[in-house]
Amino acid sequence: MSSRTDTTELVVSPSEFFQIGKTERIRPSVEIRLSDHSYLPKADDPRADWVASVAVPAFKTLARMGFLAPKFCTIGTGAGLDVLAAVEILHARSVGFTDLHEDVLEHARQNIRGNLLAQDIELIGGAGDILTPLAGKVAQVDVVYENLPNIPMAGVGDLDEGQTSSTFIEERSEEVPGFAEKNLVTLHYLALQQAHPILRVGGRVLSSIGARVPLSEILALSGAAGYNGGILTYTWKIQSEPLDVVGGYARWEREGLGPFHFYPVDVLREVFAGLTVAAAGAQALQLEKELAPHEISAVDALARVERGEKVGHTVAILDSVKIPDSAL
């Protein structure tokens, strides 16, 4: 299905990776190029990939609801596969996309443009923090999608080193609710704040959040930022980059944040068996209760990873809908 070469190129089959059958708006074989800063898609293991296992099912759920996104934005696009999925599934025609690094953004622009069948798609890109690069460039957006990193940098880490910025964040100066800081969902809150002025009323922010904290804390983000919120889809994935990611959560758990929840992969597979992501989203709180006896703290999960075991976590798409100012 995919290949990786020394020239940082990947070939991805959308019919397999996106599970969408014959494509109409993007090429049937997607070729992408990556910079050293680009998050590497898990083309050989879609269950571990955020776009394939989380974004695409959420986009499909919206499309089945009859909600398309002619105006679409994504934050931290990486390789640009989320944009291609939005063009194919949500019929996006005007796309704003950002990433922290200029080289990632330029590779993404080439990846998107080079794999479109229809060339009348407007691309509005900007390198920088969250949505600030698109300020004044987009308006009345239907959907903003984000899958932002969560773990604060510790020590002398450098966000400019490799793919570090896909997992870790620098200290923020903005005022953030205490519960968001404690649960390491600061950037998700800030994205909701920045998205509000560019969304149309009824537009939505899809926040892809590894639910390593209670769903009630995730849902609280919407209300704190002035939206109506719900869980659109609920699923699970195998933890990718487990030593770095679980290790990062374990470090902050020892400092008193969290606690953060991981699970054995076989338990996740059993609990979610037979459920669509939309059906799981509708009963997410109940599924969370079923999983509770099997929770593994980040510290314990790290010990398992160091023994060579796989751990997983649940993933929620927080669906935050913009409401009229008069309703606030």
Side-chain angles (χ1 to χ4, degrees):
M1 180 173 65
S2 66
S3 61
R4 180 160 171 79
T5 72
D6 292 335
T7 56
T8 63
E9 296 179 350
L10 280 171
V11 179
V12 177
S13 166
S15 62
E16 297 178 46
F17 192 66
F18 293 164
Q19 294 290 299
I20 54 177
K22 183 178 179 181
T23 59
E24 298 179 355
R25 296 170 177 80
I26 62 175
R27 297 185 181 279
S29 180
V30 170
E31 299 180 12
I32 61 174
R33 296 178 62 87
L34 306 164
S35 84
D36 290 341
H37 291 121
S38 302
Y39 183 78
L40 177 64
K42 308 298 186 292
D44 292 316
D45 186 10
R47 170 53 75 180
D49 186 87
W50 282 95
V51 173
S53 68
V54 182
V56 166
F59 295 171
K60 290 179 179 178
T61 299
L62 281 187
R64 283 193 290 268
M65 293 164 51
F67 192 99
L68 300 179
K71 291 188 174 183
F72 174 85
C73 282
T74 181
I75 304 170
T77 189
L81 288 173
D82 50 0
V83 171
L84 293 174
V87 169
E88 181 67 35
I89 299 167
L90 295 176
H91 298 190
R93 301 189 64 83
S94 177
V95 177
F97 60 104
T98 75
D99 206 280
L100 190 60
H101 303 291
E102 184 68 46
D103 56 335
V104 174
L105 188 84
E106 285 311 306
H107 277 77
R109 187 190 302 276
Q110 294 169 20
N111 293 337
I112 297 163
R113 183 62 72 192
N115 288 289
L116 292 173
L117 291 177
Q119 293 299 312
D120 60 344
I121 308 298
E122 180 185 30
L123 299 181
I124 307 166
D129 184 63
I130 314 183
L131 279 170
T132 54
L134 300 182
K137 299 179 181 179
V138 296
Q140 295 296 300
V141 170
D142 300 290
V143 170
V144 173
Y145 169 75
E146 61 92 349
N147 173 27
L148 286 163
N150 302 312
I151 307 172
M153 292 288 291
V156 292
D158 184 0
L159 284 189
D160 199 46
E161 181 178 344
Q163 299 173 36
T164 304
S165 63
S166 66
T167 298
F168 296 94
I169 67 173
E170 290 182 324
E171 184 176 352
R172 305 295 302 199
S173 61
E174 300 95 333
E175 184 175 342
V176 176
F179 79 90
E181 291 184 332
K182 176 177 171 58
N183 292 311
L184 300 188
V185 289
T186 291
L187 288 194
H188 300 292
Y189 173 78
L190 294 176
L192 286 168
Q193 279 198 321
Q194 291 186 19
H196 201 275
I198 70 169
L199 279 173
R200 66 172 176 83
V201 173
R204 54 223 308 164
V205 181
L206 302 184
S207 302
S208 182
I209 303 178
R212 304 174 185 92
V213 295
L215 289 173
S216 59
E217 300 288 281
I218 291 173
L219 286 164
L221 288 169
S222 295
Y227 296 80
N228 280 341
I231 302 298
L232 178 68
T233 60
Y234 194 46
T235 186
W236 67 277
K237 67 185 292 290
I238 297 169
Q239 180 61 68
S240 54
E241 290 82 43
L243 282 174
D244 286 341
V245 177
V246 181
Y249 278 103
R251 183 184 310 116
W252 287 104
E253 193 173 72
R254 293 188 185 102
E255 294 291 327
L257 300 187
F260 305 106
H261 304 149
F262 297 82
Y263 305 93
V265 169
D266 58 342
V267 170
L268 289 166
R269 187 175 286 115
E270 179 180 352
V271 169
F272 282 87
L275 289 172
T276 66
V277 293
Q283 52 188 295
L285 293 173
Q286 179 58 40
L287 292 172
E288 184 180 55
K289 289 180 181 179
E290 291 182 34
L291 287 166
H294 307 283
E295 289 175 359
I296 307 167
S297 71
V299 170
D300 290 341
L302 179 59
R304 295 191 184 210
V305 168
E306 290 173 339
R307 294 197 299 266
E309 300 177 25
K310 289 185 177 181
V311 298
H313 59 86
T314 56
V315 182
I317 289 284
L318 176 64
D319 183 18
S320 302
V321 180
K322 182 175 177 177
I323 56 180
D325 291 340
S326 60
L328 295 176

